[in-house]
C-alpha cells in the first residue's frame, strides 16, 4: 500500500465534498493500490481553516494556496475554489509537478483552459476534473448500452440541468453572478455537466445555436460569506447580475445526432434536474438525477404488447456500484459519485496512468460553453471549432 498525499484548496461546498470523498475512498474501495492522506488544506480565513482542518483530520493548514502547490509532501493539488482561480492554481500546480484534481468548469474561457492543458501536458502530470455525474453507475450502463448498439444509431439528445437555488429574488449576490469570478452563469455552473455528460455518452458537440436570459437583473449585496447560504441585510445595496440565469441551445454532434441543451438556475421546482433523453433508431434512454439510481430503457424490438419504457435499478452489474453494495436497488447518493471520482484519481496516480475526464476533456466542454455564449450574443450558429 502506498500513500497519495492531498493538498486541498478551498473549504466551501465542494471542498467538503472532496475531503469527504477522500476520507471514504479506503473505507469503500480498500487501501489498494493507494490510500489518500489529507496532508494540507488552504482557505482565506485562518481561524476558520484551522477549525476545518481539525474537523476533517488534515495534518496541516495554511491561508496561502501557494504553500500547498510548493509543498514537497503534496502529490495531488485539489482545486475547489471559485472558477476564476482554477487556471492560475492549476498551472502553478502543473509547473510544480503536482497531479491535479480541479472542479468544473475548468476555466473562465476556452483560451484559459487551453493554457492549463498546455501546462499539464508539458509537465506530464495526471488530472481529473469534477464532472462527477458520469461517475454514477447508471451512466456506465447508459454508455455500455449505447456502445453495444442497443439504441441503434443515435438521432437525438435532449439534456437539461435545472435547479431553483437562485429562483428567489431575495437570494443575495454571490461570486456565481459575477462575470469576472464565474464566467457564464447557469451554463458554466450547471450546463457544463450536461455538455460533459453528452460528450461522455455520445462524443463531441460540433455546432451550437444558443439563447440566454437573465431573469433577476439585480440582487442585494450580502453581509459576508460566498456560499449558497449567504444572507443580505434589509437595506443592503443592490448589484447588477452579470451573467445569465437561463441558457437554451440547439446542438449538433460529430456523429450526426442533433439535440438541445438547456439549463436554468431559476428553474422553479427543479432541485437537481439533470435529465436527458437519448433516442436512437432502435430504442431510447431516459434519466433524471433526481432518481439517480434508475435508468429507463425503451427497446423497440420488445414484443408489441410489452412495448414501453422499463426501469432498470442500478446494481452490482453497473460501474462501481458493487463496491458499495452487493444488491441492486439500495442506491447511491451524490457523495458516492465523488468517492468514485476521487478513487479513480488515486488509482491513476498510484499506477501512473491517465485519469478520466482529464483537463483536455474539460477544455472540450469549455469550448462548447464559449461557442454557446458567442452564438447567443451574435444570434447565429457557431462551430465549436472556432475555439480550437
Ligand atoms: N461538481 C459539482 O457537482 C460542483 C458543485 C458545486 C460547485 N462546483 C464547483 O466547485 C467550485 C467551488 O464551488 P463551491 O460551491 O464549493 O464554492 P464556495 O463558495 O462554497 O467555496 C469556495 C471556497 O474557496 C475559498 N477561496 C476563495 N478564494 C481562495 C483563495 N485564494 N485561496 C484559498 N481558498 C479560497 C472560499 O473562501 C470558499 O471557502 C466551483 O468551481 C464550482 O463550479 C462543482
Amino acid at each position: 500500500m502506498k500513500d497519495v498525499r492531498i493538498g486541498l484548496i478551498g473549504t466551501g461546498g465542494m471542498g467538503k465534498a472532496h475531503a469527504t470523498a477522500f476520507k471514504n475512498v479506503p473505507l469503500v474501495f480498500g487501501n489498494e493500490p493507494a490510500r489518500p492522506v489529507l496532508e494540507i488544506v488552504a482557505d482565506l480565513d485562518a481561524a476558520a481553516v484551522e477549525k476545518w482542518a481539525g474537523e476533517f483530520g488534515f495534518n496541516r493548514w495554511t491561508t496561502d494556496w501557494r504553500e500547498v502547490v510548493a509543498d514537497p509532501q503534496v502529490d495531488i493539488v485539489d482545486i475547489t475554489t471559485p472558477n476564476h482561480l482554477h487556471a492560475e492554481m492549476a498551472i502553478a500546480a502543473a509547473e510544480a509537478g503536482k497531479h491535479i484534481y480541479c472542479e468544473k468548469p475548468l476555466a473562465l474561457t476556452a483560451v484559459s483552459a487551453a493554457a492549463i492543458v498546455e501546462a499539464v501536458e508539458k509537465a506530464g502530470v495526471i488530472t481529473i476534473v469534477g464532472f462527477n455525474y458520469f461517475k454514477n453507475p447508471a451512466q456506465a450502463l447508459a454508455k455500455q448500452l449505447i456502445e453495444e448498439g442497443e439504441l441503434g444509431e443515435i438521432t437525438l439528445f435532449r439534456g437539461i440541468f435545472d435547479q431553483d437555488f437562485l429562483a428567489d429574488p431575495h437570494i443575495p449576490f454571490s461570486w456565481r453572478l459575477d462575470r469576472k469570478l464565474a464566467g457564464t452563469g447557469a451554463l458554466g455552473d450547471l450546463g457544463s455537466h450536461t455538455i460533459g455528460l453528452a460528450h461522455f455518452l455520445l462524443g463531441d458537440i460540433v455546432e451550437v445555436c444558443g439563447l440566454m436570459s437573465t431573469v433577476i437583473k439585480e440582487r442585494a449585496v450580502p453581509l459576508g460569506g460566498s456560499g449558497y447560504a449567504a444572507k443580505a441585510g434589509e437595506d443592503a445595496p443592490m448589484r447588477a447580475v452579470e451573467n445569465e440565469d437561463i441558457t437554451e441551445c440547439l446542438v449538433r454532434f460529430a456523429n450526426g445526432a442533433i439535440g438541445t441543451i438547456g439549463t436554468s438556475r431559476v428553474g422553479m421546482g427543479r432541485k437537481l434536474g439533470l435529465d436527458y433523453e437519448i433516442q436512437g433508431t432502435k430504442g431510447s434512454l431516459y434519466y433524471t438525477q433526481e432518481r439517480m439510481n434508475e435508468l429507463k430503457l425503451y427497446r423497440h424490438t420488445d414484443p408489441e404488447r410489452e412495448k414501453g419504457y422499463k426501469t432498470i435499478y442500478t446494481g452490482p452489474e453497473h460501474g462501481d456500484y458493487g463496491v458499495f453494495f452487493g444488491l441492486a436497488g439500495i442506491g447511491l447518493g451524490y457523495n458516492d459519485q465523488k468517492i468514485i471520482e476521487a478513487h479513480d484519481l488515486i488509482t491513476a496516480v498510484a499506477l501512473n496512468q491517465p485519469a478520466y475526464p482529464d483537463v483536455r476533456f474539460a477544455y472540450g466542454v469549455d469550448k462548447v460553453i464559449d461557442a454557446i455564449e458567442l452564438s447567443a450574443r451574435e444570434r447565429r450558429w457557431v462551430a465549436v471549432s472556432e475555439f480550437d
Side-chain angles (χ1 to χ4, degrees):
M1 180 195 36
K2 175 174 168 183
D3 284 349
V4 174
R5 290 156 304 173
I6 313 298
L8 174 65
I9 312 176
T11 63
M14 273 303 105
K16 180 174 180 180
H18 285 219
T20 304
F22 282 124
K23 284 185 88 74
N24 277 289
V25 164
L27 302 175
V28 173
F29 283 90
N31 286 328
E32 299 297 340
R35 190 183 58 163
V37 174
L38 299 178
E39 187 61 38
I40 184 166
V41 56
D43 207 311
L44 300 173
D45 182 290
V49 70
E50 181 180 17
K51 181 167 178 281
W52 202 93
E55 284 166 0
F56 278 88
F58 278 80
N59 293 335
R60 290 172 293 134
W61 59 270
T62 173
T63 53
D64 179 3
W65 66 267
R66 289 190 181 278
E67 274 180 30
V68 174
V69 166
D71 193 325
Q73 297 296 317
V74 166
D75 299 306
I76 295 172
V77 171
D78 184 0
I79 303 164
T80 68
T81 49
N83 306 345
H84 70 295
L85 294 166
H86 295 180
E88 187 186 8
M89 291 173 173
I91 290 170
E95 286 173 354
K98 307 298 185 190
H99 306 298
I100 297 166
Y101 187 1
C102 186
E103 266 307 331
K104 46 49 64 180
L106 180 60
L108 292 187
T109 62
V111 169
S112 176
I116 299 176
V117 172
E118 196 184 331
V120 159
E121 291 182 355
K122 188 170 167 210
V125 294
I126 295 162
T127 65
I128 201 164
V129 181
F131 292 103
N132 35 265
Y133 293 106
F134 53 87
K135 298 298 178 183
N136 180 353
Q139 305 312 339
L141 173 62
K143 191 169 170 66
Q144 231 172 15
L145 292 168
I146 292 166
E147 285 178 355
E148 289 168 3
E150 286 287 344
L151 308 188
E153 188 187 323
I154 304 301
T155 53
L156 180 67
F157 175 88
R158 287 206 188 100
I160 62 165
F161 195 169
D162 290 355
Q163 287 192 283
D164 63 4
F165 67 91
L166 284 170
D168 179 347
H170 296 107
I171 291 172
F173 198 90
S174 70
W175 67 260
R176 285 186 160 78
L177 314 176
D178 182 326
R179 188 72 183 79
K180 290 188 302 303
L181 307 188
T184 56
L187 180 58
D189 198 16
L190 308 178
S192 57
H193 283 295
T194 304
I195 298 164
L197 202 45
H199 281 187
F200 169 67
L201 293 171
L202 303 183
D204 285 357
I205 293 167
V206 290
E207 207 182 359
V208 299
C209 185
L211 193 58
M212 289 176 156
S213 162
T214 304
V215 177
I216 298 162
K217 306 244 185 290
E218 57 175 20
R219 293 186 186 261
V221 178
L223 301 168
S226 65
Y228 296 115
K231 296 266 185 303
E234 286 283 294
D235 47 6
M238 302 297 280
R239 182 169 167 188
V241 171
E242 294 172 357
N243 51 26
E244 91 293 351
D245 291 323
I246 304 174
T247 291
E248 290 292 318
C249 187
L250 297 171
V251 299
R252 189 185 302 282
F253 288 85
N255 69 5
I258 64 169
T260 56
I261 283 181
T263 181
S264 172
R265 61 189 183 189
V266 295
M268 285 284 184
R270 297 316 305 267
K271 302 303 172 189
L272 201 58
L274 173 57
D275 304 4
Y276 65 73
E277 185 161 51
I278 298 172
Q279 298 176 4
T281 52
K282 284 166 58 180
S284 296
L285 287 177
Y286 172 76
Y287 173 80
T288 174
Q289 187 69 28
E290 287 171 352
R291 302 190 70 82
M292 64 172 280
N293 294 288
E294 299 173 12
L295 183 68
K296 294 203 185 288
L297 169 65
Y298 173 79
R299 278 198 183 96
H300 200 62
T301 47
D302 279 353
E304 203 56 43
R305 65 178 190 177
E306 292 166 25
K307 273 196 167 69
Y309 265 110
K310 73 168 176 178
T311 303
I312 302 168
Y313 298 94
T314 48
E317 297 293 312
H318 312 129
D320 284 319
Y321 182 101
V323 295
F324 292 85
F325 303 112
L327 295 174
I330 297 173
L332 306 192
Y334 176 91
N335 280 332
D336 298 323
Q337 302 172 146
K338 279 290 186 206
I339 295 171
I340 296 170
E341 183 174 272
H343 174 255
D344 283 357
L345 178 60
I346 294 296
T347 304
V349 167
L351 303 180
N352 193 27
Q353 63 192 26
Y356 180 86
D358 62 6
V359 291
R360 185 164 276 286
F361 177 97
Y363 167 48
V365 173
D366 279 358
K367 283 196 285 187
V368 176
I369 290 172
D370 280 11
I372 293 173
E373 198 187 15
L374 179 65
S375 157
R377 196 166 60 240
E378 297 189 351
R379 297 179 169 228
R380 66 174 175 95
W381 278 90
V382 170
V384 176
S385 60
E386 284 190 33
F387 291 90
D388 281 348

